Amino acid sequence: MRIAIYPGSFDPLTNGHLDVIQRAARLFDRVIVAVAKNDSKHPLFTLAERTALVKKAVAGLPNVDTDSFDGLLVEYVAAKKARAIVRGLRAVSDFEFEFQLALMNRKLDENIETIFMMPKDTYTFLSSRIVKEIARLGGNVSPFVPPNVQVALKKKLEPPRRKDTKK
Ligand code: ADP
């Protein structure tokens, strides 16, 4: 059984991430989307929220599971008996960091390979950070995220309703 782990913050999941998940699901028997706790990044959504959003969005993909993890990625990968880490590459700008990360992970555990996948070209400009920025400014994010993420962003970023009783 070929198992791949797709780790990330997924704060929140975008259609770019989903595209990578679908491609990986065609190559591996099982893909586990592993949501990283990543407190140091001060995510907008909690770990439980990010995990639930991924879980719902991948519900139609039979060989894709969702999980969360904290700590060293290679240890998590080994514990799941996986041999591959999947990462997405959008542009040259992703390369340097991803290259460093892949080689460091190989130093930590040489049995684990990192596989890079390029998303559909229309998703190469997409990032969770940009999606959050658009949502914060009241823009329409429906082309960029699955419907459940769109709803969650609206809820999270909507200004609190004024309890103004005066007419
Ligand atoms: P991290 O905090 O680990 O970078 P992200 O959730 O931002 O987590 O991204 C997880 C992985 O998905 C990374 O490899 C990132 O390069 C990739 N990725 C993010 N957005 C896209 C996209 N639009 N298309 C393809 N890959 C993407």
Side-chain angles (χ1 to χ4, degrees):
M1 178 115 148
R2 288 179 187 272
I3 305 172
I5 306 289
Y6 180 31
S9 314
F10 305 105
D11 183 40
L13 179 83
T14 69
N15 288 340
H17 294 130
L18 261 186
D19 183 273
V20 169
I21 293 168
Q22 283 159 351
R23 284 170 204 283
R26 278 184 233 129
L27 289 182
F28 292 93
D29 299 313
R30 187 169 172 229
V31 174
I32 303 173
V33 184
V35 183
K37 194 161 178 241
N38 270 354
D39 280 343
S40 59
K41 281 197 173 180
H42 303 292
L44 174 66
F45 291 96
T46 66
L47 180 63
E49 287 169 338
R50 286 179 278 140
T51 310
L53 289 172
V54 174
K55 201 170 201 153
K56 187 154 187 206
V58 303
L61 300 167
N63 62 334
V64 178
D65 293 324
T66 309
D67 194 12
S68 56
F69 77 102
D70 190 15
L72 213 50
L73 175 62
V74 288
E75 281 176 6
Y76 173 80
V77 174
K80 292 285 162 189
K81 303 202 178 339
R83 293 283 303 274
I85 295 170
V86 170
R87 294 287 287 178
L89 275 186
R90 284 162 291 190
V92 182
S93 49
D94 277 340
F95 181 79
E96 177 119 20
F97 173 70
E98 293 292 341
F99 181 70
Q100 217 175 15
L101 196 66
L103 290 187
M104 180 50 82
N105 282 332
R106 181 183 282 164
K107 275 260 183 297
L108 294 172
D109 186 337
E110 61 184 20
N111 293 312
I112 298 170
E113 289 297 338
T114 302
I115 312 282
F116 293 103
M117 314 216 70
M118 267 73 79
K120 194 169 166 210
D121 54 2
T122 46
Y123 296 141
T124 52
F125 62 90
L126 251 188
S127 71
S128 299
R129 189 181 60 78
I130 284 180
V131 164
K132 282 181 280 191
E133 199 61 39
I134 296 169
R136 225 174 248 132
L137 298 170
N140 174 24
V141 293
S142 66
F144 314 128
V145 295
N148 66 317
V149 173
Q150 194 188 348
V151 172
L153 275 168
K154 196 154 187 242
K155 247 194 206 155
K156 184 72 91 177
L157 298 172
E158 214 166 56
R161 285 185 188 237
R162 289 174 55 201
K163 288 193 191 122
D164 200 346
T165 47
K166 268 187 247 161
K167 286 268 155 79

